[in-house]
Structures are given as structure tokens and as C-alpha cells.
């Protein structure tokens, strides 16, 4: 069995699977049940001044028959007094001393407020702090959450305030509701953050009821934007993790969040630079015991590849992720159709003919009169669309065509043209 233990900026955890700060970590009862199920850690639902929540709060998106493909949430931070949360956190940590317990914090933009809550929380023995600069709704209107997380200067300042008194590692949770998350990640690092976590939820309106014309969800006839999460946001989250992981000006460990539903998703985040992952929507959909499959799947994957420790995965694919200008213009792949597997549904032909490069022909066999699909490889640009829409795995392969040309990127091409012009 591989070693699944992780070390995130000095925070030790028995495995990389944590519950994110959200409804599943709202109480000691829940977090203790999660630890019993096998979760390595949990980020407690955000502490601060207790708020009043509304009813209703959640909405789910069903897509292609998959329920909870996307999830919308207008619930806010804890609605329990701080002393109640601290008592339950203390009990949980004492009962599960080897599991990771992180306190998520959000207070008003005052140095003394941050100092006060940090001291109170650390007194009960948490393993680390997560500063919530990502919540996109409700709290943002009060000058907290993403209202801070969209301004690098405010992030830097508030992290500095926390680091003045913090005795445990400080993680900064970043909002995706920003043009370039690297700038806020850099600010967190400059302020002294030991790690960053991303992404928090994305501003969203889940839908409009076509009978009542009311937003989904609505509260007594009115709706508000909420936070979007679930499998649908994974590509956005994975990109942001990778961008920060390859940015030398960030330079701190990352806790990956966003659409992680199984061990495969987790491995992708680890390879792209996350040291561990946080899960919310999948647990809300399927319950805490999904972590059993995550642990088994990760163990099997590591064993099959002969990898001794999960930490050996962290960041191993980051070097493959770059900017468009560095891609090889002379690399070429084409589509090839496997006639033995093809079911002649013609979806590839329709997609290519209507919306791509018109390089798939329907050809009649003179001997049998049957039609078959043939790719004109000289006209194929290797866009992958045909293989994406094909309903049969293995019916269309994307095959590399060897080239006598040396690799040449757009940036190299422009540099060569500029040098030639100077001569």
C-alpha cells in the first residue's frame, strides 16, 4: 500500500482528502462522522459573527441525465455562536487527534478582529487556519468574502494581520470571480500565507422557473446570485490551480478545490500542483462514504505505477502546462476511423461538415453498396471534434503524423522573423 500521508505547508494529514468548508462541516457531529468514514481532514464551516440564513438555499443542475452536475448555494457562513463552534471543534480534535482540523475564518476588515478570532481558535488546538476570501454572496455585500478576495492589497494586508499572531499555518482561500487569480495568489504569498486554497464558488444564477418566472432558488419571490460548484466547475478550478502552481511569484503549496468527485479528479489536481484536495458537492450528493472509493482508487493507482507516496505525484505535470505561444506549430494529428468499431451513426460527419473543416466523406463501397466514413487526412486539422462527439469509445483515434520539420512555436517564429528583419 502506498503512503497517502500529505504535508501541506507543515500541516500533516493521514490522506489528501479533506472536506471543504461548507454545509458538510457545519457541526462536530458531521465532522466526526466524516473522520470515521475515512476523510483525512476537514475545514470547519466558516467562523465569524453568526448570521441568519434564508430558505430555500440550494439548487442543482441536471445535465445529460447526471444529477447535481452543477450546484448552486446561497447559504452563508456559520449561524452558530463562536463559543458553540469552538466547543464542538475542541471535542472533535480530542476525539480524532491524528486527523486534520482546519478553522475557516471570516471577520470584518479590522486588525483587532482578526487577532481576536485567531487567538480564540488556535487556543483549542486546530492544525491550521483558512482565511475565507472567496464567498461570493451575502458576505461580500458586507465587505467580506470575495469583496476582499478581488483586491490584492486587501488580501495582503489582512494576511499580514493574521500572521502577526498566528501560531499555526495560514491558508488563504481565493475567489475565482476575478480576471486573473495569480495576482491575488501572489498577494497572499507576499502577505506571508503558508498556502493557498482554490477555488471558492463561482457567481451564478442556476435558472429561471418557466412557469412562475422566478429565479431558482427563490426566497419568497426573489432570488440572488449564489456560488456555483460541482463537477461542472472542475476544468475552471484545475486551470487556476495549474496557473498558480507554475507561477514562481506564488511559490506556496496549494489545496485544490472545485468539482472533485472521485480519485481520478484528485490525481489530476495533484499532478497539476495541488498538495491535497477539498471536496464538498460530491459528499453532499453521495454522502461521506464516497471517500472509501477515493482512498481505494488512489491506492490502486499508486501501486500500479510503482509510486511509493502520494506526495510524489504533486506537481509532476505542471511543466507540461504552458501558454499558447509555446505550443509546437509543426505538430500534427489526424482522425482515423476504425471501421470495425464504427456504428455509422454519422455524428462525426455531421459535426465536421457543419461546424468544423469538412474533411470526413461518406463513401459508397462499389462492391457491397454500403456506405462508410473516410477522413481526408490532408485536410484534417486534428481538432478532435469528431472523436469528442463519437458515441463509441475507440471508433475514432487521433493519430500523430510524423514530420520532418523541427518543433517551432509561435513565439520562436516571431522571434526569428524579428531577427531576420533586424538583419
Amino acid at each position: 500500500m502506498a503512503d497517502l500521508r500529505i504535508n501541506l505547508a507543515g500541516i500533516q494529514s493521514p490522506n489528501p482528502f479533506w472536506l471543504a468548508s461548507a454545509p458538510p462541516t457545519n457541526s462536530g457531529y458531521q465532522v466526526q462522522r466524516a473522520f470515521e468514514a475515512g476523510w483525512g481532514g476537514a475545514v470547519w464551516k466558516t467562523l465569524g459573527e453568526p448570521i441568519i440564513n434564508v430558505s430555500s438555499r440550494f439548487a442543482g443542475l441536471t445535465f445529460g441525465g447526471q444529477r447535481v452536475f452543477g450546484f448552486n448555494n446561497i447559504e452563508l457562513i456559520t449561524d452558530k455562536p463562536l463559543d458553540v463552534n469552538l466547543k464542538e471543534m475542541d471535542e472533535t480534535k480530542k476525539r480524532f487527534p491524528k486527523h486534520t482540523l482546519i478553522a475557516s475564518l471570516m471577520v470584518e476588515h479590522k486588525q483587532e478582529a482578526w487577532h481576536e478570532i485567531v487567538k480564540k481558535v488556535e487556543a483549542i488546538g486546530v492544525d491550521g487556519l483558512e482565511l475565507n476570501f472567496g464567498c461570493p454572496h451575502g458576505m461580500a455585500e458586507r465587505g467580506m468574502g470575495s469583496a476582499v478576495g478581488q483586491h490584492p492589497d486587501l488580501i495582503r494586508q489582512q494576511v499580514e494581520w493574521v500572521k502577526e499572531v498566528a501560531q499555526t499555518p495560514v491558508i488563504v482561500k481565493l475567489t475565482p470571480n476575478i480576471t486573473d487569480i495569480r495576482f491575488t495568489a501572489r498577494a497572499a504569498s507576499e502577505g506571508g500565507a503558508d498556502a493557498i486554497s482554490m477555488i471558492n464558488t463561482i457567481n451564478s444564477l442556476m435558472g429561471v422557473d418557466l412557469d412562475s418566472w422566478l429565479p431558482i432558488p427563490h426566497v419568497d419571490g426573489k432570488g440572488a446570485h449564489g456560488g456555483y460548484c460541482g463537477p461542472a466547475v472542475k476544468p475552471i478550478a484545475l486551470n487556476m490551480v495549474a496557473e498558480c502552481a507554475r507561477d514562481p511569484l506564488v511559490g506556496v503549496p496549494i489545496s485544490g478545490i472545485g468539482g472533485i468527485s472521485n480519485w481520478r479528479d484528485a490525481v489530476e489536481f495533484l499532478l497539476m500542483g495541488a498538495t491535497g484536495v477539498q471536496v464538498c458537492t460530491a459528499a453532499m450528493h453521495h454522502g461521506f462514504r464516497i471517500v472509501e472509493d477515493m482512498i481505494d482508487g488512489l491506492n490502486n493507482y499508486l501501486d500500479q505505477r510503482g509510486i511509493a507516496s502520494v506526495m510524489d505525484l504533486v506537481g509532476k505535470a505542471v511543466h507540461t502546462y504552458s501558454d499558447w505561444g509555446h505550443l509546437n506549430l509543426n505538430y500534427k494529428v489526424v482522425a482515423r476511423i476504425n471501421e470495425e468499431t464504427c456504428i455509422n451513426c454519422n455524428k462525426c460527419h455531421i459535426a465536421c461538415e457543419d461546424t468544423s473543416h469538412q474533411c470526413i466523406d461518406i463513401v459508397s463501397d462499389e462492391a457491397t453498396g454500403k456506405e462508410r466514413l473516410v477522413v481526408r487526412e490532408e485536410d484534417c486539422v486534428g481538432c478532435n471534434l469528431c472523436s469528442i462527439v463519437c458515441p463509441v469509445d475507440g471508433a475514432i483515434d487521433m493519430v500523430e503524423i510524423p514530420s520532418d520539420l523541427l518543433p517551432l512555436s509561435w513565439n520562436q517564429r516571431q522571434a526569428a522573423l524579428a531577427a531576420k528583419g533586424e538583419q
Side-chain angles (χ1 to χ4, degrees), residues 18-35 41-48 76-94 96 100-106 121 124 126-132 171 173 278:
W18 296 1
L19 285 175
S21 173
T25 61
N26 188 45
S27 68
Y29 171 77
Q30 292 168 283
V31 174
Q32 290 173 36
R33 279 176 52 83
F35 288 165
V43 186
W44 205 273
K45 190 170 184 184
T46 303
L47 310 178
L76 304 182
I77 67 171
T78 184
D79 55 8
K80 298 186 296 184
L82 182 61
D83 61 340
V84 173
N85 277 305
L86 293 180
K87 180 177 181 293
E88 294 184 13
M89 293 171 74
D90 183 40
E91 293 170 349
T92 300
K93 187 59 184 176
K94 287 177 178 175
F96 294 91
T100 306
L101 189 62
I102 306 295
S104 174
L105 307 178
M106 181 192 293
V121 168
I124 58 103
V126 296
D127 297 291
L129 310 173
E130 184 179 80
L131 314 186
N132 185 348
I171 307 168
K173 190 172 186 179
Q278 298 183 34

Coordinates of all heavy atoms in Angstrom, one line a residue, residues 18-35 41-48 76-94 96 100-106 121 124 126-132 171 173 278:
W18 N -9.8 16.0 2.1 CA -10.4 16.9 3.1 C -11.8 17.3 2.7 O -12.1 17.4 1.5 CB -9.6 18.1 3.3 CG -8.2 18.0 3.9 CD1 -7.6 16.8 4.2 CD2 -7.3 19.0 4.2 NE1 -6.3 17.1 4.6 CE2 -6.1 18.4 4.7 CE3 -7.4 20.4 4.1 CZ2 -5.0 19.2 5.0 CZ3 -6.3 21.2 4.5 CH2 -5.1 20.6 5.0
L19 N -12.7 17.5 3.6 CA -14.0 18.1 3.4 C -13.7 19.6 3.4 O -13.1 20.2 4.2 CB -15.0 17.8 4.4 CG -15.6 16.4 4.3 CD1 -16.5 16.1 5.5 CD2 -16.4 16.2 3.0
A20 N -14.3 20.3 2.4 CA -14.2 21.8 2.3 C -15.1 22.4 3.3 O -16.1 21.9 3.8 CB -14.5 22.2 0.9
S21 N -14.8 23.7 3.6 CA -15.6 24.5 4.5 C -17.0 24.7 3.8 O -17.0 25.5 2.8 CB -14.9 25.8 4.8 OG -15.8 26.7 5.5
A22 N -18.0 24.2 4.3 CA -19.3 24.2 3.6 C -20.4 23.5 4.5 O -20.0 23.1 5.7 CB -19.2 23.5 2.3
P23 N -21.6 23.3 4.1 CA -22.6 22.6 4.9 C -22.2 21.3 5.5 O -22.6 21.0 6.6 CB -23.8 22.5 3.9 CG -23.7 23.7 3.0 CD -22.2 23.9 2.8
P24 N -21.3 20.5 4.8 CA -21.0 19.2 5.4 C -20.1 19.3 6.7 O -19.9 18.3 7.4 CB -20.2 18.5 4.3 CG -20.7 19.1 3.0 CD -20.9 20.5 3.4
T25 N -19.5 20.5 6.9 CA -18.6 20.7 8.1 C -19.2 21.7 9.1 O -18.5 22.4 9.7 CB -17.2 21.1 7.6 OG1 -17.3 22.4 7.0 CG2 -16.6 20.1 6.7
N26 N -20.5 21.7 9.2 CA -21.2 22.7 10.0 C -21.3 22.3 11.5 O -21.7 23.1 12.3 CB -22.6 22.8 9.5 CG -23.4 24.0 10.1 OD1 -22.8 25.1 10.3 ND2 -24.6 23.8 10.5
S27 N -20.9 21.1 11.9 CA -21.0 20.7 13.3 C -20.0 19.6 13.6 O -19.5 18.9 12.7 CB -22.4 20.2 13.5 OG -22.7 18.9 12.8
G28 N -19.8 19.4 14.9 CA -19.0 18.3 15.3 C -19.5 17.0 15.0 O -18.7 16.1 14.6
Y29 N -20.8 16.8 15.0 CA -21.4 15.5 14.7 C -21.1 15.2 13.2 O -20.7 14.0 13.0 CB -23.0 15.7 14.8 CG -23.7 14.5 14.2 CD1 -23.8 13.3 14.9 CD2 -24.3 14.6 13.0 CE1 -24.5 12.2 14.4 CE2 -25.0 13.5 12.4 CZ -25.1 12.3 13.1 OH -25.8 11.3 12.6
Q30 N -21.2 16.1 12.3 CA -20.9 15.8 10.9 C -19.4 15.5 10.7 O -19.0 14.6 10.0 CB -21.3 17.0 10.0 CG -22.8 17.2 10.0 CD -23.1 18.6 9.3 OE1 -23.0 19.6 10.0 NE2 -23.5 18.6 8.1
V31 N -18.5 16.4 11.2 CA -17.1 16.2 11.0 C -16.6 14.9 11.6 O -15.8 14.2 11.0 CB -16.3 17.4 11.6 CG1 -14.8 17.2 11.5 CG2 -16.7 18.7 10.8
Q32 N -17.1 14.5 12.8 CA -16.7 13.3 13.4 C -17.2 12.1 12.6 O -16.5 11.1 12.4 CB -17.2 13.2 14.8 CG -16.5 14.2 15.8 CD -17.1 14.3 17.1 OE1 -17.6 13.3 17.7 NE2 -17.1 15.4 17.7
R33 N -18.4 12.2 12.0 CA -18.9 11.1 11.1 C -18.0 11.0 9.9 O -17.7 9.9 9.4 CB -20.3 11.4 10.7 CG -21.4 11.0 11.7 CD -22.8 11.4 11.3 NE -23.1 10.9 9.9 CZ -23.5 9.7 9.6 NH1 -23.7 8.8 10.6 NH2 -23.8 9.3 8.4
A34 N -17.5 12.2 9.4 CA -16.7 12.2 8.2 C -15.3 11.5 8.5 O -14.8 10.7 7.7 CB -16.4 13.6 7.7
F35 N -14.7 11.8 9.7 CA -13.5 11.2 10.1 C -13.6 9.7 10.3 O -12.7 8.9 9.9 CB -13.0 11.9 11.4 CG -12.4 13.3 11.2 CD1 -12.2 14.1 12.2 CD2 -12.1 13.8 9.9 CE1 -11.7 15.4 12.1 CE2 -11.6 15.0 9.7 CZ -11.4 15.9 10.8
G41 N -9.1 15.0 6.6 CA -9.2 16.3 7.2 C -10.5 17.0 6.9 O -11.3 16.5 6.1
A42 N -10.8 18.1 7.6 CA -12.0 18.9 7.3 C -11.7 20.3 7.6 O -11.0 20.6 8.6 CB -13.1 18.4 8.2
V43 N -12.2 21.2 6.8 CA -12.2 22.6 7.1 C -13.5 23.0 7.6 O -14.5 23.0 6.9 CB -11.8 23.4 5.8 CG1 -11.6 24.9 6.1 CG2 -10.5 22.9 5.1
W44 N -13.6 23.4 8.9 CA -14.8 23.7 9.5 C -15.5 24.8 8.8 O -14.9 25.8 8.3 CB -14.5 24.1 11.0 CG -15.7 23.9 11.9 CD1 -16.7 24.8 12.2 CD2 -15.9 22.8 12.8 NE1 -17.6 24.2 13.1 CE2 -17.1 23.0 13.5 CE3 -15.2 21.6 13.0 CZ2 -17.6 22.1 14.5 CZ3 -15.7 20.7 13.9 CH2 -16.9 20.9 14.6
K45 N -16.9 24.8 8.8 CA -17.6 25.8 8.2 C -17.2 27.2 8.8 O -17.1 27.3 10.0 CB -19.1 25.6 8.4 CG -20.0 26.6 7.5 CD -21.4 26.2 7.5 CE -22.2 27.1 6.5 NZ -23.6 26.9 6.5
T46 N -17.1 28.2 7.9 CA -16.5 29.5 8.2 C -17.1 30.1 9.5 O -18.3 30.3 9.7 CB -16.7 30.4 7.1 OG1 -16.1 29.9 5.9 CG2 -15.9 31.8 7.4
L47 N -16.1 30.4 10.4 CA -16.5 31.1 11.7 C -16.4 32.6 11.5 O -15.6 33.1 10.8 CB -15.5 30.6 12.8 CG -15.2 29.1 12.9 CD1 -14.2 28.9 14.0 CD2 -16.5 28.4 13.3
G48 N -17.3 33.2 12.3 CA -17.3 34.7 12.3 C -18.5 35.1 13.1 O -19.0 34.3 13.9
L76 N -24.9 31.0 3.8 CA -23.7 31.8 4.2 C -22.9 31.1 5.2 O -22.9 29.9 5.3 CB -24.2 33.2 4.8 CG -25.1 34.0 3.8 CD1 -25.5 35.3 4.5 CD2 -24.4 34.2 2.5
I77 N -22.1 31.8 6.0 CA -21.2 31.2 7.0 C -22.0 30.7 8.1 O -23.2 30.7 8.1 CB -20.1 32.2 7.4 CG1 -20.7 33.4 8.2 CG2 -19.3 32.8 6.2 CD1 -19.7 34.3 8.9
T78 N -21.3 30.3 9.2 CA -22.0 29.7 10.3 C -23.1 30.5 10.9 O -23.0 31.7 11.0 CB -20.9 29.4 11.5 OG1 -21.6 28.7 12.5 CG2 -20.3 30.7 12.0
D79 N -24.1 29.8 11.4 CA -25.2 30.5 12.0 C -25.2 30.2 13.5 O -26.2 30.5 14.2 CB -26.6 30.2 11.4 CG -26.8 28.7 11.4 OD1 -26.0 27.9 12.0 OD2 -27.8 28.3 10.8
K80 N -24.1 29.6 14.0 CA -23.9 29.3 15.4 C -22.9 30.2 16.1 O -22.0 30.7 15.5 CB -23.5 27.9 15.6 CG -24.4 26.8 15.0 CD -23.9 25.4 15.3 CE -22.6 25.1 14.7 NZ -22.2 23.7 14.9
P81 N -23.1 30.6 17.4 CA -22.2 31.4 18.1 C -20.8 30.8 18.1 O -20.6 29.6 18.0 CB -22.8 31.5 19.5 CG -24.2 31.1 19.3 CD -24.3 30.2 18.2
L82 N -19.8 31.6 18.2 CA -18.4 31.2 18.1 C -18.1 30.2 19.2 O -17.4 29.2 19.0 CB -17.4 32.4 18.2 CG -15.9 32.0 18.1 CD1 -15.6 31.4 16.8 CD2 -15.1 33.3 18.3
D83 N -18.6 30.4 20.4 CA -18.2 29.5 21.5 C -18.8 28.1 21.3 O -18.2 27.1 21.7 CB -18.7 30.1 22.9 CG -20.2 30.4 22.9 OD1 -20.8 30.4 21.9 OD2 -20.7 30.5 24.1
V84 N -20.0 28.0 20.7 CA -20.5 26.7 20.4 C -19.7 26.0 19.4 O -19.4 24.8 19.5 CB -22.0 26.9 19.8 CG1 -22.5 25.5 19.4 CG2 -22.9 27.5 20.9
N85 N -19.2 26.7 18.3 CA -18.4 26.1 17.3 C -17.1 25.6 18.0 O -16.6 24.5 17.7 CB -18.1 27.0 16.2 CG -19.2 27.0 15.1 OD1 -19.5 26.0 14.6 ND2 -19.7 28.2 14.8
L86 N -16.5 26.5 18.8 CA -15.2 26.2 19.4 C -15.3 24.9 20.3 O -14.4 24.1 20.3 CB -14.6 27.3 20.1 CG -14.2 28.6 19.3 CD1 -13.7 29.7 20.2 CD2 -13.2 28.2 18.2
K87 N -16.4 24.8 21.0 CA -16.6 23.7 21.9 C -16.7 22.4 21.1 O -16.0 21.4 21.4 CB -17.9 23.8 22.7 CG -18.2 22.7 23.7 CD -19.4 23.0 24.5 CE -19.8 21.9 25.4 NZ -20.2 20.7 24.7
E88 N -17.4 22.4 20.0 CA -17.5 21.2 19.1 C -16.2 20.9 18.4 O -15.9 19.7 18.2 CB -18.6 21.4 18.1 CG -20.0 21.5 18.7 CD -21.1 21.7 17.7 OE1 -20.9 21.4 16.5 OE2 -22.3 22.0 18.1
M89 N -15.5 21.9 18.0 CA -14.2 21.7 17.4 C -13.2 21.1 18.3 O -12.4 20.2 18.0 CB -13.6 23.0 16.8 CG -14.5 23.6 15.7 SD -14.0 25.3 15.2 CE -12.4 24.9 14.4
D90 N -13.2 21.6 19.6 CA -12.3 21.1 20.6 C -12.6 19.6 20.9 O -11.7 18.7 20.9 CB -12.5 21.9 21.9 CG -11.6 21.4 23.0 OD1 -10.4 21.1 22.7 OD2 -12.0 21.4 24.2
E91 N -13.9 19.2 21.0 CA -14.3 17.8 21.2 C -13.9 17.0 20.0 O -13.4 15.8 20.2 CB -15.8 17.8 21.4 CG -16.3 18.4 22.7 CD -17.8 18.5 22.7 OE1 -18.5 18.3 21.7 OE2 -18.4 18.9 23.8
T92 N -14.0 17.5 18.8 CA -13.7 16.7 17.6 C -12.2 16.5 17.5 O -11.8 15.3 17.3 CB -14.2 17.5 16.4 OG1 -15.6 17.7 16.4 CG2 -13.8 16.7 15.1
K93 N -11.4 17.5 17.8 CA -9.9 17.3 17.7 C -9.4 16.4 18.8 O -8.5 15.5 18.5 CB -9.2 18.7 17.9 CG -7.7 18.6 17.6 CD -7.4 18.1 16.2 CE -5.9 17.9 16.0 NZ -5.6 17.3 14.7
K94 N -10.0 16.4 20.0 CA -9.6 15.5 21.0 C -10.0 14.0 20.7 O -9.2 13.1 21.0 CB -10.2 15.9 22.4 CG -9.6 17.2 23.0 CD -10.3 17.6 24.2 CE -9.6 18.8 24.8 NZ -10.4 19.3 26.0
F96 N -10.3 12.9 17.6 CA -9.6 12.5 16.4 C -8.3 13.3 16.3 O -8.1 14.1 15.4 CB -10.4 12.7 15.1 CG -11.7 11.8 15.1 CD1 -12.9 12.2 15.6 CD2 -11.6 10.5 14.5 CE1 -14.0 11.4 15.6 CE2 -12.7 9.7 14.4 CZ -13.9 10.2 15.0
T100 N -6.8 16.0 10.4 CA -6.6 17.4 10.3 C -7.8 18.2 10.4 O -8.8 18.0 9.8 CB -6.0 17.6 8.8 OG1 -4.9 16.8 8.6 CG2 -5.6 19.1 8.7
L101 N -7.7 19.2 11.3 CA -8.9 20.1 11.5 C -8.4 21.5 11.3 O -7.5 22.0 12.0 CB -9.4 20.0 13.0 CG -10.7 20.7 13.3 CD1 -11.8 20.1 12.4 CD2 -11.1 20.6 14.7
I102 N -9.0 22.1 10.3 CA -8.7 23.5 9.9 C -9.9 24.4 10.2 O -11.0 24.1 9.9 CB -8.4 23.6 8.4 CG1 -7.3 22.6 8.0 CG2 -8.0 25.0 8.0 CD1 -6.0 22.8 8.6
A103 N -9.6 25.6 10.7 CA -10.6 26.6 11.0 C -10.7 27.6 9.9 O -9.7 28.2 9.6 CB -10.3 27.3 12.3
S104 N -11.9 27.7 9.3 CA -12.1 28.7 8.3 C -12.6 30.0 9.0 O -13.5 29.9 9.8 CB -13.1 28.2 7.2 OG -13.4 29.3 6.3
L105 N -12.0 31.1 8.6 CA -12.3 32.4 9.3 C -12.8 33.5 8.4 O -12.2 33.6 7.3 CB -11.1 32.8 10.1 CG -10.5 31.8 11.1 CD1 -9.2 32.5 11.7 CD2 -11.4 31.4 12.1
M106 N -13.7 34.3 8.8 CA -14.1 35.5 8.1 C -14.6 36.5 9.1 O -15.6 36.3 9.8 CB -15.2 35.2 7.1 CG -15.6 36.4 6.3 SD -17.1 36.1 5.3 CE -16.6 34.9 4.1
V121 N -9.4 30.7 18.3 CA -9.5 29.4 17.5 C -8.3 28.6 17.8 O -8.3 27.4 18.0 CB -9.7 29.7 16.0 CG1 -9.5 28.5 15.2 CG2 -11.1 30.3 15.7
I124 N -7.9 26.2 20.9 CA -8.5 24.9 21.1 C -7.7 23.8 20.3 O -8.1 22.6 20.2 CB -10.0 24.9 20.7 CG1 -10.2 25.4 19.3 CG2 -10.8 25.8 21.6 CD1 -10.5 24.3 18.3
V126 N -6.4 23.7 16.8 CA -6.6 23.4 15.4 C -5.3 23.2 14.7 O -4.2 23.7 15.2 CB -7.4 24.5 14.6 CG1 -8.8 24.6 15.2 CG2 -6.7 25.9 14.7
D127 N -5.2 22.6 13.6 CA -4.0 22.3 12.8 C -3.6 23.5 11.9 O -2.5 23.5 11.4 CB -4.1 21.0 12.0 CG -4.3 19.8 13.0 OD1 -3.4 19.5 13.7 OD2 -5.5 19.3 12.9
G128 N -4.5 24.3 11.6 CA -4.3 25.4 10.7 C -5.5 26.3 10.5 O -6.6 26.0 11.0
L129 N -5.3 27.4 9.8 CA -6.3 28.4 9.6 C -6.5 28.5 8.1 O -5.6 28.5 7.3 CB -5.9 29.8 10.2 CG -5.5 29.8 11.6 CD1 -5.0 31.2 11.9 CD2 -6.6 29.4 12.6
E130 N -7.8 28.7 7.7 CA -8.1 29.1 6.3 C -8.9 30.4 6.3 O -10.0 30.4 6.8 CB -8.9 28.0 5.6 CG -9.1 28.2 4.1 CD -9.9 27.1 3.4 OE1 -11.1 27.1 3.5 OE2 -9.2 26.3 2.7
L131 N -8.3 31.4 5.7 CA -9.0 32.7 5.6 C -9.9 32.7 4.4 O -9.4 32.6 3.2 CB -7.9 33.8 5.5 CG -6.7 33.7 6.4 CD1 -5.9 35.0 6.3 CD2 -7.2 33.5 7.9
N132 N -11.2 32.9 4.6 CA -12.2 32.8 3.6 C -12.3 34.2 2.9 O -13.0 35.1 3.3 CB -13.5 32.4 4.1 CG -14.6 32.2 3.1 OD1 -14.4 32.6 1.9 ND2 -15.7 31.6 3.5
I171 N -3.7 29.3 5.5 CA -4.1 29.0 4.2 C -5.1 30.2 3.7 O -5.9 30.5 4.5 CB -4.8 27.7 4.0 CG1 -4.0 26.5 4.6 CG2 -5.2 27.4 2.6 CD1 -4.8 25.2 4.8
K173 N -8.0 31.2 1.1 CA -8.9 30.7 0.2 C -9.3 31.8 -0.8 O -9.8 32.8 -0.4 CB -10.1 30.1 0.9 CG -11.1 29.3 -0.1 CD -12.2 28.6 0.7 CE -13.0 27.7 -0.1 NZ -14.1 27.1 0.7
Q278 N -9.8 19.3 -1.5 CA -11.0 19.5 -0.7 C -12.3 19.2 -1.5 O -12.3 19.6 -2.7 CB -11.1 20.9 -0.1 CG -9.9 21.3 0.8 CD -10.1 22.7 1.4 OE1 -11.2 23.2 1.7 NE2 -8.9 23.4 1.5

